[in-house]
Amino acid sequence: MTTEPVLQAKTAGVPPGEASTGLSLAELKHLYRTMVRTRALDERGMNLQRQGRIAFYVPSTGQEAAHIGSAFALRADDWVFPSYREPGIALLRGAPVRELVLQLYGRDLGRTRGRQMPNHFAFADLHLVSISSPIGTQIVQATGCAMAMRARGRDQVAMTWFGDGATSSNDFHVGLNFAGVYRAPVVFFCQNNGWAITLPVDRQTASTTLAVKAKAYGLPGVRVDGNDVRAVVTAARDAVDRARAGGGPTLIEAVTYRMGPHSTSDDPRRYRTEAECETWARRDPLERLRHDLEGQGAWTQAQEDEVRAAARDEVNTAVAEAEAAPSPDPRDLFEEVYAELPWNLEEQRRGLLRPGGE
Amino acid sequence: MTTEPVLQAKTAGVPPGEASTGLSLAELKHLYRTMVRTRALDERGMNLQRQGRIAFYVPSTGQEAAHIGSAFALRADDWVFPSYREPGIALLRGAPVRELVLQLYGRDLGRTRGRQMPNHFAFADLHLVSISSPIGTQIVQATGCAMAMRARGRDQVAMTWFGDGATSSNDFHVGLNFAGVYRAPVVFFCQNNGWAITLPVDRQTASTTLAVKAKAYGLPGVRVDGNDVRAVVTAARDAVDRARAGGGPTLIEAVTYRMGPHSTSDDPRRYRTEAECETWARRDPLERLRHDLEGQGAWTQAQEDEVRAAARDEVNTAVAEAEAAPSPDPRDLFEEVYAELPWNLEEQRRGLLRPGGE
Amino acid sequence: MATLNLLQAVNDALFTEMRRDERVVVFGEDVARAGGVFRTTDGLLKEFGEARVFDTPLAESGIIGIGVGMALYGLRPVAEIQFLDFIYPGFDQIVNEAAKMRYRSGGQFTCPMVIRAPYGGGIRGGHYHSQSTEAYFAHTSGLKVVIPSTPADAKGLLAASIRDPDPVIFLEPKHLYRSARGEVPEGEHVEPLGRARLVRRGEHVTLVAWGAMVPVCERSAEEAATEGVQVEVLDLRSLVPLDVDALLASVARTGRLVVVHEAARTAGFGAEVSALVAERAIEYLEAPIYRVTGYDTPFPFALENDYLPTPARVLDAVRQAVRY
Amino acid sequence: MATLNLLQAVNDALFTEMRRDERVVVFGEDVARAGGVFRTTDGLLKEFGEARVFDTPLAESGIIGIGVGMALYGLRPVAEIQFLDFIYPGFDQIVNEAAKMRYRSGGQFTCPMVIRAPYGGGIRGGHYHSQSTEAYFAHTSGLKVVIPSTPADAKGLLAASIRDPDPVIFLEPKHLYRSARGEVPEGEHVEPLGRARLVRRGEHVTLVAWGAMVPVCERSAEEAATEGVQVEVLDLRSLVPLDVDALLASVARTGRLVVVHEAARTAGFGAEVSALVAERAIEYLEAPIYRVTGYDTPFPFALENDYLPTPARVLDAVRQAVRY
Ligand SMILES: Cc1ncc(C[n+]2csc(CCOP(=O)(O)OP(=O)(O)O)c2C)c(N)n1
Ligand SMILES: Cc1ncc(C[n+]2csc(CCOP(=O)(O)OP(=O)(O)O)c2C)c(N)n1
Ligand SMILES: [Mg+2]
Ligand SMILES: [Mg+2]
């Protein structure tokens, strides 16, 4: 990031607040509401971990416009391959907050049945593919899924999200390269939030931007202000439409900022300045969208209060339910390793259930 | 390779045959002689395999200017990380042909002690790092070596060679990215010979050139006519000088052609046309350099005959020696797995040496 | 029945399964236009077209990763890795992704894919065209590991692997590609996973093997018979799921066990076979459990024939077991 | 002697070895500026500067690959992989490159590097922050595999690994980072590789373990003692090279063996331990060889405590062995 400091956000030429993005007021309000719900979940998730009620949490605070705006460009039958930092995608696509919170608690009722760490969601009905921790792996899977869509003659699109750090991974390279070769209908959405845990993006790579990496694969690469939801939706729609029409993949770099810690295990004061955080606090994507709505006379304090209260309430209800929900039964350990239980797992299950063990 | 077909070679702006490359006649003759020696080795190697006297061979025919010209830009104390298709680098740096042929035969006297397939050379005294089959692995190793040179304050440079196919590998990506971040004194030399076994380069990647991939890592990327030894030397010297001076790494794409099969296991008629082969036969780098020398009145048929005969003779002598040389002793199987022989290998060696086995 | 070699049997299975199920797709390096470096995929492109049979760029992580994505979407990918030795750039997608997909998503997503790879020694291929690292995969919960040793099994087990709802590593003993010949049922032929094949009955010693070591054991058994030792040979066929019943039953009959594999000894799959018996059938054992294996070295080039277990080495262990 | 926890002992070893040998360099994700996510590399950057301690981009293939290149050149790289679970993108550089470098070059090139990684369960980390796949590395000829279970060993074995002329995978049981405390020699302290530690003597049963399972076995042994069963506990400390003499000697004394590890059972390193004994000391065995291990599932999240071997599970196996 030598010549063009990445921390200086730029839009893809779309002036913020311009009605020309084609977003109706109702759509903007829906986006705003989803962003508020996401933040409420994140705030509560962080607190639950601090109180020792859940094991871990990864906040998306500051990145709501980027990940929710991009997912907004998709149809319900498109497939999404997120990383661990995009809870808003699940919410936007209709996942009930209770499902997300059950997952955070590792409850049996949760869709991942207590098998994965918090934030590693999976919703087959929403075509939201099981999230994993290893960085970058979903990128090439999304390419494969998009290739399958094409092979089956469908007009679906796959979209995948990942961070600036993930651009260094093997699977970024092969995912984009394969997508270019096969012109797969996939959109690569990179949330450049400035940091990969403690590593700033200009030590992650010497390239001038992350978007320019698209050239290595013969793809269009777009850089967008990730805190401007309109700009994000525009860039994403453009890429999604192109992919759906057979025009191949696109890499989008959304310049944004992780306002919170990397996760509940992290203390960002160890590696970044107050000043940097303050600068970005002033670019909070929620504030920006609210001001935009207010500027159009489309948002009142009463609406704001209602949205915030509703978001809080739904999280509270979900937390209460999750706290009361049962943990997985030990016998569940052995299920779904394979479609059928092989003899060794059957035997191991019997051993576990016997008092004393083996 | 959509917009700029890779098979149409271009120089890096250096008109062939121009004395301005700074190559003396003596140097050009030395290069020519090395290219002829390399070809003689390749021709004999292919034949030896066909006669069943060695297991396998990988020819570099057609690519002599590219790999020898690039290695020519280095000092003796620089380090080289070739792939299996650059025997001329070893010859240029002073490896005796007999050593190469002993390796082809898997003889104990060979430097790799019969442990590796033919063409997988290693010469510690020439700083020529042990070649392996897995594609691309040497690229990131060269970066690491270059980082070590810098960390130790030396003014050495590392150069690594690989094919067009290797640009798809994980290690191409991470090798170039790390080199960019640390400004390591390394030169990445890609021999784009149009094919990765049966896959043409335009199905390997959708990027317009391979050189453009440098942009993804903030590096200079240069495309050069790989069959023009002067152009190659110029591009390589430029990159080597920059690296040595602390200016960081460069990616060079040399456009060339594999005139022979991928290896003795391959039949290129299954996947490419006669016409293509003929076009490239007319661009034979040896012919080109010889015409150049002849054009300057610096080369006679007598010289040509002498060089060819000498090259043939040295290979013949080497073959005779290798045929007579002993194969490794079975006890050698267990050596050099570790610096010291552990109990299990000691015991396994004893078992092997006992009549009957275990 | 047709008489085919193992290579042709693999090809036959691919044709049959692709005709049967249009979700089956085949890809890898040099598999389409050229039909594979060993020609196992020959002719598929012509019959099934580019949408179902295609060449990939040189990246195993990509080959396996797109396979995972395709399987998630509902296809039945059959990915070829040109040599098992080159699978490691894609190891993460196998171990962390394919193997854990069903489990981690609470059964919502599955990964029914086959990763085929030629493996093992015998072709003078040195370190990088000879490895047999089946133990890595057998130790990875969520994967199945299947290895045929006859043409009929190659066809039947590959068909079963393609139809399996879980990811399968299907290892083809390249040394047997042309040398193993035999009758192969025509048309659909499925050999269920998880059942060992009793190659030869014998009352004195059990030899357990898979892949190219099966014919080696057979030769040992013939030799032993001339000495009056009756050797039972068990071809595991799938390491995961393992036919533990067949294993234990055989050891219970013979009281002696020798495990044979090409891979390095330490922590090879032979150790698992031995451990299972030491845990469950020790009371039947009349001798130590021997292992005849590749050595704890990288796979060599010039000394390949010294490295690979031979009938003589196996016989030596058989004799030791009997004499004990 | 100072009393340190295991994490501090690792840090101490790094400081000591970096002071002793200026060829030692330390790198990995988040190791320099932040001192590592577990703080094992805390303070190194400040003392040794950026040329010797640096953060890397997010690519394990790069971390290990540059380590190989540096080792070739003559440095002594100590590469950190943030969690063992993330090592697989770099698996090819380990298995095909580092492990085979000395052998394939006829001894001309060597790869003296250490790859450090926190491993194992116990921190509620789910599939991707809990794995213990030491068997993959133990099966790879050319590598050494070292696992401490006490602070003193963490220091001494890490020092030995850094000084070793061959590549070493050094696995740190993260569950013990803070909970294991003990006396650690100050200054240079080297504990030779390949020697097991006899943690506790006992005449009835041998428990073999490594890493975080050692204290679990110790608790079992205490419990067993109250029942009159004297349990011997052997901490292998390095899986490769393995102290086979200590193993066999212990089994010869006790006649009973239980192997304990966190990893999945099938083809885990416990199988190798069992197989060695079944091959060489079967005449001493008075009971089957039992394994108490993680299950053949991916590492779970909510049910972690059911998955990991506990003193009670180990004790159950001890009782079975004694009663047999
Ligand atoms: C392959 C792999 N290596 C290391 C890690 C540990 N790790 C978790 S998140 C992270 C940084 C990711 O940075 P980035 O891609 O920018 O995403 P962000 O967290 O900023 O959203 C690292 C190194 C991992 N999860 N996977
Ligand atoms: C990781 C890996 N995958 C597959 C192979 C098998 N293979 C050997 S050479 C080759 C093609 C290499 O093409 P390129 O990089 O263009 O080099 P060239 O042979 O043309 O010089 C392949 C696929 C390999 N050696 N390593
Ligand atoms: Mg980031
Ligand atoms: Mg090529």
Side-chain angles (χ1 to χ4, degrees), chain B:
Chain B
M1 307 289 134
T2 45
T3 66
E4 206 176 339
V6 73
L7 296 179
Q8 184 189 314
K10 287 190 193 169
T11 72
V14 183
E18 195 86 337
S20 72
T21 54
L23 283 170
S24 70
L25 266 181
E27 287 174 323
L28 283 175
K29 287 180 187 173
H30 178 52
L31 282 165
Y32 183 65
R33 186 181 297 267
T34 309
M35 287 161 68
V36 169
R37 292 172 68 210
T38 303
R39 184 153 304 179
L41 177 67
D42 278 343
E43 283 170 356
R44 191 64 193 273
M46 294 299 287
N47 275 330
L48 289 172
Q49 194 279 340
R50 287 204 191 98
Q51 295 163 4
R53 292 155 89 180
I54 63 175
F56 178 78
Y57 196 83
V58 190
S60 70
T61 301
Q63 304 182 209
E64 294 91 343
H67 75 276
I68 296 168
S70 48
F72 190 74
L74 294 170
R75 291 197 322 226
D77 66 336
D78 292 329
W79 282 55
V80 296
F81 291 75
S83 86
Y84 47 72
R85 206 181 294 285
E86 295 92 18
I89 297 174
L91 291 176
L92 183 77
R93 290 177 77 83
V97 176
R98 67 177 280 279
E99 295 266 11
L100 300 185
V101 176
L102 282 165
Q103 200 282 335
L104 300 181
Y105 274 85
R107 295 303 189 223
D108 193 35
L109 287 171
R111 297 284 186 94
T112 63
R113 307 194 57 202
R115 300 243 179 80
Q116 282 240 63
M117 283 177 91
N119 298 90
H120 291 64
F121 307 113
F123 290 97
D125 51 340
L126 307 178
H127 301 322
L128 188 158
V129 172
S130 167
I131 293 166
S132 76
S133 311
I135 296 292
T137 50
Q138 75 277 20
I139 302 175
V140 58
Q141 292 169 10
T143 296
C145 181
M147 290 170 67
M149 290 163 170
R150 267 198 107 191
R152 304 295 282 166
R154 307 285 153 70
D155 76 339
Q156 291 159 295
V157 165
M159 193 182 283
T160 181
W161 287 259
F162 49 89
D164 42 297
T167 63
S168 295
S169 72
N170 297 340
D171 285 348
F172 172 83
H173 183 57
V174 301
L176 271 70
N177 193 46
F178 275 58
V181 167
Y182 301 109
R183 294 178 73 79
V186 52
V187 178
F188 301 105
F189 196 90
C190 177
Q191 295 202 71
N192 177 356
N193 64 6
W195 295 88
I197 314 188
T198 73
L199 195 72
V201 63
D202 63 359
R203 300 295 301 161
Q204 188 68 246
T205 180
S207 75
T208 52
T209 65
L210 300 180
V212 76
K213 290 177 185 281
K215 280 210 188 6
Y217 313 104
L219 313 185
V222 178
R223 198 169 211 236
V224 63
D225 180 344
N227 285 16
D228 177 353
V229 76
R230 289 173 183 271
V232 171
V233 173
T234 304
R237 280 189 171 161
D238 204 51
V240 167
D241 292 350
R242 182 164 46 243
R244 208 182 301 286
T250 302
L251 170 64
I252 300 175
E253 173 191 3
V255 181
T256 180
Y257 194 71
R258 157 161 71 70
M259 291 171 68
H262 171 73
S263 73
T264 45
S265 312
D266 176 51
D267 176 5
R269 283 167 308 185
R270 275 159 64 203
Y271 53 84
R272 64 189 193 185
T273 63
E274 275 294 319
E276 180 181 307
C277 295
E278 277 161 22
T279 305
W280 281 94
R282 287 192 297 273
R283 299 183 187 149
D284 184 334
L286 270 68
E287 303 280 302
R288 258 164 97 169
L289 180 51
R290 182 158 52 91
H291 287 150
D292 176 358
L293 288 169
E294 285 170 357
Q296 299 186 52
W299 200 249
T300 64
Q301 187 61 41
Q303 281 171 302
E304 177 71 14
D305 293 343
E306 181 268 313
V307 166
R308 299 249 168 207
R312 254 195 324 271
D313 286 353
E314 80 177 333
V315 176
N316 286 343
T317 311
V319 166
E321 182 180 350
E323 298 245 329
S327 283
D329 186 281
R331 83 183 61 224
D332 288 0
L333 248 178
F334 307 93
E335 280 169 25
E336 293 164 346
V337 181
Y338 301 95
E340 289 176 10
L341 199 67
W343 67 268
N344 53 325
L345 286 173
E346 220 256 287
E347 191 180 280
Q348 289 170 21
R349 181 169 69 179
R350 246 186 290 125
L352 175 66
L353 300 180
R354 252 187 345 100
E358 292 311 283

Side-chain angles (χ1 to χ4, degrees), chain D residues 123-169:
Chain D
I123 63 155
R124 303 177 78 189
H127 302 327
Y128 300 115
H129 299 82
S130 312
Q131 295 173 29
S132 35
T133 51
E134 62 272 14
Y136 295 158
F137 305 100
H139 185 48
T140 306
S141 306
L143 299 181
K144 297 185 176 177
V145 182
V146 178
I147 308 180
S149 79
T150 67
D153 279 353
K155 179 169 179 181
L157 294 170
L158 181 51
S161 299
I162 292 171
R163 299 181 190 193
D164 198 88
D166 288 302
V168 177
I169 309 290

Side-chain angles (χ1 to χ4, degrees), chain D residues 1-286:
Chain D
M1 290 275 188
T3 302
L4 303 179
N5 64 24
L6 203 149
L7 200 156
Q8 293 162 328
V10 167
N11 187 260
D12 186 6
L14 293 171
F15 265 102
T16 311
E17 293 305 305
M18 289 191 79
R19 284 185 190 138
R20 197 186 65 88
D21 183 350
E22 58 164 18
R23 297 169 308 166
V24 177
V25 293
V26 167
F27 51 90
E29 292 156 9
D30 309 294
V31 301
R33 190 138 57 132
V37 295
F38 289 102
R39 320 303 296 268
T40 44
T41 51
D42 208 24
L44 297 176
L45 173 62
K46 191 148 172 255
E47 175 158 340
F48 301 104
E50 289 190 355
R52 295 182 60 199
V53 183
F54 55 92
D55 289 317
T56 65
L58 204 165
E60 287 71 16
S61 167
I63 294 170
I64 295 164
I66 63 162
V68 173
M70 290 176 155
L72 288 168
Y73 187 73
L75 298 191
R76 293 285 177 146
V78 181
E80 178 177 306
I81 298 298
Q82 203 160 78
F83 288 84
L84 179 61
D85 318 64
F86 302 135
I87 204 168
Y88 313 120
F91 202 64
D92 190 42
Q93 283 286 347
I94 300 175
V95 163
N96 269 340
E97 299 292 326
K100 298 178 175 42
M101 190 60 77
R102 179 187 293 276
Y103 197 71
R104 80 183 193 204
S105 66
Q108 295 180 84
F109 291 96
T110 62
C111 195
M113 75 183 287
V114 178
I115 300 173
R116 292 178 46 238
Y119 93 111
I123 63 155
R124 303 177 78 189
H127 302 327
Y128 300 115
H129 299 82
S130 312
Q131 295 173 29
S132 35
T133 51
E134 62 272 14
Y136 295 158
F137 305 100
H139 185 48
T140 306
S141 306
L143 299 181
K144 297 185 176 177
V145 182
V146 178
I147 308 180
S149 79
T150 67
D153 279 353
K155 179 169 179 181
L157 294 170
L158 181 51
S161 299
I162 292 171
R163 299 181 190 193
D164 198 88
D166 288 302
V168 177
I169 309 290
F170 189 85
L171 301 179
E172 301 168 7
K174 67 175 93 74
H175 187 50
L176 303 183
Y177 265 155
R178 291 194 173 77
S179 67
R181 292 184 63 80
E183 299 269 280
V184 177
E186 279 162 72
E188 291 193 25
H189 169 53
V190 180
E191 193 62 50
L193 307 184
R195 297 205 199 143
R197 182 172 66 95
L198 191 58
V199 179
R200 181 188 173 112
R201 277 202 164 261
E203 54 187 321
H204 300 128
V205 186
T206 299
L207 283 178
V208 167
W210 49 93
M213 290 298 105
V214 174
V216 168
C217 289
E218 289 185 70
R219 285 200 291 279
S220 283
E222 283 159 26
E223 190 73 28
T226 68
E227 301 178 7
V229 177
Q230 300 307 327
V231 173
E232 181 144 315
V233 179
L234 196 65
D235 174 1
L236 291 183
R237 300 203 294 190
S238 75
L239 307 188
V240 180
L242 185 76
D243 191 346
V244 70
D245 294 335
L247 169 67
L248 299 178
S250 178
V251 173
R253 278 195 296 274
T254 63
R256 293 181 173 85
L257 174 62
V258 177
V259 195
V260 183
H261 61 66
E262 293 185 48
R265 178 164 316 168
T266 296
F269 195 76
E272 178 62 30
V273 174
S274 174
L276 284 170
V277 171
E279 205 162 52
R280 289 149 199 265
I282 202 163
E283 64 272 30
Y284 297 103
L285 287 177
E286 289 164 36

